[in-house]
Amino acid sequence: DMKVTQMPRYLIKRMGENVLLECGQDMSHETMYWYRQDPGLGLQLIYISYDVDSNSEGDIPKGYRVSRKKREHFSLILDSAKTNQTSVYFCASSSRAKNTLYFGAGTRLSVL
Amino acid sequence: KTQVEQSPQSLVVRQGENCVLQCNYSVTPDNHLRWFKQDTGKGLVSLTVLVDQKDKTSNGRYSATLDKDAKHSTLHITATLLDDTATYICVVGDRGSALGRLHFGAGTQLIVIP
């Protein structure tokens, strides 16, 4: 079953705390993405990973970093979270060969 | 600047009615266009992908068109069901591979009432 799994689904943190969002996929997709979705806006690209240890900044990378040590896992890290990072974060993966794109169910992060 | 504009922002229809969602974009190049369905609190699920200069696709009660000359796409939903209640998102890809960027619209919120 083709799937992108995000953990946790819901997270509440205090300003200044570190945050780790995890994403896994079971399709051996080369490319993985982290997006955030805010009300009234389209999804915004934070980081894109083309394969293990091959990561590039997206449109809004400030305040975020990523890690991809295995093809099936892609982590998003917020060092010292800020209240304006309250959002829903989506992970996605895609296959270049098949031009397919799959999204996880999202992580709803609240930074107080 | 928003490069993908969707209209209407929200739409209420009665079960059984048909509806049309619009997507206009300024993304260049425009390699392909996808429509996604997003249920409340869930991830995005792909409905269809349009690729050709003037393209049409059909997926059950969902059908879509793309006109790259006009940079315009429509999503038609026939005989709506209550389960069609969701946000529908238009996404334009500027390349044919994952190396390209995806440009997301803000979505049209569709509500289907009995």
Side-chain angles (χ1 to χ4, degrees):
Chain A
D1 191 22
M2 296 175 287
K3 198 181 254 190
V4 177
T5 304
Q6 291 186 236
M7 295 290 287
R9 291 295 318 281
Y10 303 92
L11 189 58
I12 299 174
K13 287 286 192 178
R14 293 196 182 280
M15 192 169 58
E17 290 185 331
N18 298 333
V19 178
L20 173 64
L21 305 185
E22 305 264 29
C23 177
Q25 49 102 357
D26 59 2
M27 299 166 279
S28 294
H29 284 171
E30 311 90 356
T31 307
M32 297 185 74
Y33 312 78
W34 276 106
Y35 291 93
R36 63 178 282 175
Q37 185 179 39
D38 298 295
L41 298 177
L43 271 71
Q44 299 177 83
L45 179 65
I46 305 171
Y47 267 93
I48 183 171
S49 174
Y50 298 109
D51 213 324
V52 172
D53 284 330
S54 180
N55 307 319
S56 290
E57 295 181 345
D59 299 317
I60 52 163
K62 188 178 179 182
Y64 304 94
R65 61 184 174 92
V66 292
S67 175
R68 190 153 180 219
K69 297 301 181 186
K70 293 182 180 180
R71 180 174 272 195
E72 60 268 24
H73 288 127
F74 191 32
S75 301
L76 180 68
I77 301 119
L78 288 66
D79 295 315
S80 186
K82 299 174 181 51
T83 55
N84 63 7
Q85 291 178 309
T86 292
S87 187
V88 181
Y89 290 86
F90 285 97
C91 174
S93 74
S94 68
S95 163
R96 281 177 224 151
K98 297 181 180 178
N99 197 18
T100 52
L101 181 62
Y102 294 89
F103 280 84
T107 294
R108 186 174 292 273
L109 172 66
S110 294
V111 182
L112 308 178
Chain B
K1 183 184 175 185
T2 303
Q3 296 193 65
V4 181
E5 300 274 3
Q6 292 188 242
S7 62
Q9 256 189 323
S10 62
L11 180 62
V12 179
V13 299
R14 289 200 179 277
Q15 184 178 355
E17 292 180 341
N18 302 334
C19 65
V20 181
L21 283 57
Q22 313 280 351
C23 178
N24 289 287
Y25 61 91
S26 59
V27 177
T28 300
D30 50 349
N31 178 271
H32 64 275
L33 186 147
R34 301 175 189 263
W35 283 95
F36 285 90
K37 178 185 180 186
Q38 184 180 25
D39 292 317
T40 302
K42 301 283 180 65
L44 284 68
V45 176
S46 181
L47 294 175
T48 191
V49 180
L50 300 123
V51 178
D52 295 334
Q53 195 71 17
K54 293 194 192 303
D55 204 355
K56 288 184 180 181
T57 61
S58 183
N59 179 10
R61 293 179 299 102
Y62 300 103
S63 60
T65 66
L66 172 63
D67 182 345
K68 288 189 178 180
D69 293 329
K71 291 190 180 290
H72 177 72
S73 176
T74 60
L75 178 68
H76 297 246
I77 307 176
T78 304
T80 52
L81 303 172
L82 297 178
D83 283 348
D84 291 333
T85 294
T87 297
Y88 292 82
I89 297 174
C90 172
V91 183
V92 181
D94 60 13
R95 292 190 203 176
S97 72
L99 295 175
R101 288 291 178 90
L102 300 175
H103 303 264
F104 290 77
T108 291
Q109 186 181 17
L110 173 66
I111 299 171
V112 182
I113 59 175

